Amino acid sequence: DIQIQRRKDIVKRFWKKYDLFNYSQNRKKLRSYHIRRENFGNKDMPFPSKENGMGQAEPPISIPASILFIEIDSVSKAHASRHLPLTMTLIEEHGIKWTNRNKNKTAEAYEECLYGMCAFDFEEATVVGGNSLPNQIAELSGCTFLTNSSSYLLDDCGFDDGPFVTEDQCLRAGEFFGNVSQTCRPCPQGFSLRDPLKLCYTGTDVPATKNCCVEDLRKHNKRVCRNKGSVINGLQLLKRRRGDYIWCPASSPSNFDKHRLDSPLIFDAARALGYVSFFGEEFCYNVSPYVVQKSYFPMDDKHRDYFVDQIFCRLADRTKTLRGYRKTYPLWAVEDDSASKPQPCIDGRSKQQFSLEYLQQMWKTYPDLPKFAYLNALAAHDYSLESAYVPLGLEAYDEHLSNFLRTMISDGLVDDTLVILRSDHGLQGGPAAVEYSVQQEHPNIWNNIMIPEKFFENGWASPQSLSANQKRMVTGFDLYRTMIGLMTRAYESKPDTPLPEWSYDLLNDVVPRDRTCEDARIPSPFCPCMEERDAKNTRPRFTNEAAIGMVLSY
């Protein structure tokens, strides 16, 4: 069985951070009391108060809310309704029920939710990219993920603060590198560099106009600011990797103080606030090119306290040995299940249960501390050639997930926890992706929030706002603002965490009914509003060029 030992260093870290952001003397005394009780191992040590003659009465402490974020990879809302019946039933049972509405249909009052836990289903939740990377980056950092073909068309930036890369003598001058001349060469008159962030080389048989220079940037890669310190439209270039660009909300210069976070990653915010943290991927993701962690944002012991990747790395290594794979075969590519057998038994239970058991133990071990946990479950990530096998993993996971949620709720383990159940995108691989119906389902993702009623009572959330937002277009950017806002509500002062200015707090704000995809930073191919899509994105993918009226579509 999975067991988690309570760590005193984590407990001390929380109270130290809590003291940093709360200046009340009463709160400082309370922090000292909790640390003493932890050190002496006496869980029944009475708190000093007038009633027991040991001191003055203290006001009750407000511990920050915990967040449990479970994401199932590759599940559209329609796909979830077909293959997650048990979990969908649980969410419906906890759905908020309004007792009366006024003439404008504004919610006035609601019945008590089952076990004090209210569920909200966001029917219009939408992706901000085609695969996991842009969607996870949005929800975990509030940053935008741009490729060469979708970069912003921006003004040129100066290089006063130094270059963004080291080998850029040519790039600084807007030139390419000629392999023959071994010098920097300018593009011919009327041409510009195809990519001003990527050093380009030409040879004897490769003309510059073919490889490095283009005449019309609008048809190729748009120019981007490459000075890391420059702020354009409220965004800073945080990182460039393999032609991908991470642009993040910029801090105001007036907020560059001791509470400023160097990284917008939500795990850094959780650590700064003293949270107990968990990061879970259900495969051995080391050196994998398909993940956010370690590729675009660091993820080590400084960023999370608990993790499960070592479990899956050992399983992958064992499978690799048993099957006789070559030594250089990467562990992230090893799969110990199959489409027809999606949940192999290990030590008498399904592999799909490991992460959920870990999370349950973490909530039991630290009932008095705020926790932040993110799990990316891969049960539905099956792009099998046999369509009958595609949903088997998700259907098996449905039983484990629904049982886990029912236990966590009935045992009172999530009485102070915001639970987010979400997917990053719909099916995007395998033969199913050729179907136009699957392509239409892909952007509309499964997105749910379960929230304790006490959050309404203490003003941390508005049931009216949550109810209204169920019918509004929401994205991962909104989830990021929502989580950061909830994590800091119990603090008198807060670390400076830049937020996307185009996002909304789903717990308290009401997303505008007329919000457009441009407003929400949703790329045209994934916009649910067909009138906002480019003409080439209004017909099925994987088709040949065809004329639609006078407009060419691809």
Side-chain angles (χ1 to χ4, degrees):
D1 292 339
I2 294 175
Q3 297 291 333
I4 294 179
Q5 297 296 321
R6 185 176 173 94
R7 288 168 46 187
K8 292 184 178 180
D9 63 309
I10 291 179
V11 177
K12 291 180 180 179
R13 184 185 69 205
F14 165 70
W15 288 108
K16 181 179 179 180
K17 298 294 185 180
Y18 192 85
D19 189 29
L20 177 65
F21 295 109
N22 292 285
Y23 307 115
S24 165
Q25 290 300 316
N26 287 333
R27 294 178 187 271
K28 290 183 179 181
K29 292 178 182 177
L30 188 57
R31 186 206 69 162
S32 299
Y33 159 76
H34 276 275
I35 290 179
R36 289 201 316 272
R37 191 179 73 163
E38 189 77 25
N39 287 338
F40 288 103
N42 184 0
K43 307 305 180 185
D44 300 321
M45 188 172 78
F47 184 77
S49 67
K50 282 185 177 180
E51 286 71 17
N52 60 27
M54 297 178 62
Q56 299 296 315
E58 303 287 351
I61 190 170
S62 179
I63 296 294
S66 295
I67 297 176
L68 174 57
F69 191 157
I70 298 178
E71 186 164 73
I72 307 179
D73 203 324
S74 302
V75 179
S76 66
K77 180 172 177 56
H79 198 60
S81 66
R82 292 190 291 263
H83 304 294
L84 287 174
L86 299 177
T87 303
M88 296 290 283
T89 298
L90 181 145
I91 292 172
E92 184 177 352
E93 292 172 354
H94 287 267
I96 196 165
K97 298 177 177 62
W98 299 100
T99 57
N100 61 292
R101 295 174 179 269
N102 62 22
K103 295 180 180 179
N104 295 325
K105 296 185 179 181
T106 301
E108 294 291 340
Y110 64 91
E111 298 177 2
E112 183 175 313
C113 298
L114 183 64
Y115 293 116
M117 200 74 172
C118 300
F120 296 86
D121 177 8
F122 294 83
E123 301 175 7
E124 305 299 327
T126 305
V127 301
V128 295
N131 55 40
S132 298
L133 292 179
N135 291 292
Q136 289 182 358
I137 286 173
E139 67 198 17
L140 297 180
S141 70
C143 300
T144 61
F145 176 90
L146 301 171
T147 62
N148 281 346
S149 59
S150 62
S151 300
Y152 290 134
L153 179 61
L154 302 174
D155 296 331
D156 293 342
C157 298
F159 295 93
D160 295 338
D161 295 331
F164 184 62
V165 292
T166 54
E167 322 88 339
D168 77 332
Q169 293 181 358
C170 297
L171 291 176
R172 288 173 67 93
E175 299 175 342
F176 62 91
F177 186 83
N179 279 334
V180 177
S181 64
Q182 293 292 299
T183 60
C184 297
R185 302 283 302 279
C187 288
Q189 186 175 0
F191 286 76
S192 301
L193 282 179
R194 178 183 295 272
D195 183 353
L197 272 173
K198 184 177 180 181
L199 186 60
C200 184
Y201 299 84
T202 61
T204 306
D205 301 325
V206 183
T209 53
K210 179 180 180 180
N211 198 38
C212 299
C213 305
V214 294
E215 190 171 10
D216 188 354
L217 281 174
R218 292 173 299 177
K219 294 181 180 179
H220 299 276
N221 296 321
K222 297 180 175 66
R223 198 171 176 81
V224 298
C225 164
R226 63 181 290 279
N227 183 356
K228 188 176 181 181
S230 297
V231 177
I232 304 294
N233 295 335
L235 297 175
Q236 283 180 306
L237 181 61
L238 179 71
K239 187 165 186 175
R240 175 175 70 98
R241 185 175 186 271
R242 295 196 313 245
D244 300 328
Y245 306 93
I246 309 300
W247 289 82
C248 298
S251 293
S252 168
S254 62
N255 290 330
F256 282 13
D257 56 20
K258 66 179 181 179
H259 295 337
R260 177 178 177 270
L261 297 179
D262 293 327
S263 167
L265 187 66
I266 197 167
F267 281 90
D268 289 339
R271 175 59 67 104
L273 295 169
Y275 272 64
V276 187
S277 60
F278 167 93
F279 180 87
E281 284 269 19
E282 295 187 321
F283 76 110
C284 185
Y285 60 75
N286 289 334
V287 306
S288 169
Y290 304 112
V291 295
V292 172
Q293 63 278 11
K294 295 190 176 182
S295 296
Y296 299 93
F297 289 99
M299 183 60 65
D300 50 34
D301 291 343
K302 296 180 180 179
H303 301 87
R304 81 280 194 265
D305 299 307
Y306 295 100
F307 47 92
V308 292
D309 55 285
Q310 289 184 349
I311 295 176
F312 293 98
C313 285
R314 290 177 181 177
L315 291 175
D317 188 56
R318 185 187 70 170
T319 301
K320 176 180 175 179
T321 301
L322 292 176
R323 295 181 181 175
Y325 291 165
R326 65 181 186 275
K327 292 183 178 181
T328 57
Y329 196 83
L331 290 180
W332 60 262
V334 175
E335 296 185 5
D336 52 15
D337 55 5
S338 64
S340 60
K341 297 180 179 180
Q343 52 166 349
C345 286
I346 300 172
D347 291 336
R349 63 189 189 279
S350 168
K351 185 184 72 171
Q352 295 178 340
Q353 295 176 267
F354 292 161
S355 298
L356 298 178
E357 289 181 10
Y358 208 107
L359 289 170
Q360 186 174 12
Q361 286 299 316
M362 179 174 163
W363 254 251
K364 288 182 177 181
T365 304
Y366 297 98
D368 54 335
L369 298 186
K371 299 161 286 293
F372 177 80
Y374 171 80
L375 169 64
N376 185 36
L378 298 181
H381 199 276
D382 191 321
Y383 302 144
S384 173
L385 295 177
E386 294 288 342
S387 59
Y389 291 153
V390 171
L392 293 184
L394 183 60
E395 291 174 353
Y397 192 68
D398 182 35
E399 180 177 358
H400 302 311
L401 179 60
S402 59
N403 288 339
F404 165 79
L405 292 172
R406 288 190 185 280
T407 300
M408 295 287 283
I409 294 172
S410 62
D411 289 356
L413 295 176
V414 289
D415 286 351
D416 297 290
T417 300
L418 178 77
V419 179
I420 300 172
L421 305 172
R422 172 181 162 91
S423 61
D424 51 358
H425 55 78
L427 286 173
Q428 61 166 347
V434 179
E435 293 188 24
Y436 187 50
S437 61
V438 174
Q439 296 172 23
Q440 291 298 99
E441 290 179 3
H442 172 274
N444 183 208
I445 53 177
W446 185 58
N447 196 120
N448 307 271
I449 282 179
M450 302 186 75
I451 185 170
E453 280 187 282
K454 64 171 64 176
F455 287 11
F456 303 149
E457 299 166 2
N458 62 18
W460 284 1
S462 163
Q464 288 81 9
S465 296
L466 280 162
S467 182
N469 290 333
Q470 291 183 109
K471 301 289 186 179
R472 305 296 164 82
M473 185 165 60
V474 301
T475 70
F477 295 120
D478 302 316
L479 271 183
Y480 177 74
R481 178 181 283 269
T482 300
M483 292 188 291
I484 290 292
L486 182 62
M487 291 167 71
T488 57
R489 279 192 177 91
Y491 292 91
E492 296 172 10
S493 68
K494 304 173 183 178
D496 175 36
T497 306
L499 300 170
E501 60 184 17
W502 59 88
S503 63
Y504 293 88
D505 181 345
L506 300 179
L507 302 187
N508 292 283
D509 300 334
V510 176
V511 177
R513 190 186 302 273
D514 59 353
R515 189 185 199 184
T516 66
C517 290
E518 183 178 1
D519 295 336
R521 302 291 176 94
I522 299 172
S524 173
F526 313 108
C527 181
C529 307
M530 298 298 288
E531 65 273 14
E532 290 189 58
R533 290 190 181 185
D534 294 335
K536 65 182 180 181
N537 297 320
T538 58
R539 64 178 283 115
R541 299 194 298 273
F542 312 113
T543 57
N544 294 326
E545 179 179 328
I548 304 178
M550 298 299 293
V551 181
L552 288 180
S553 179
Y554 298 87

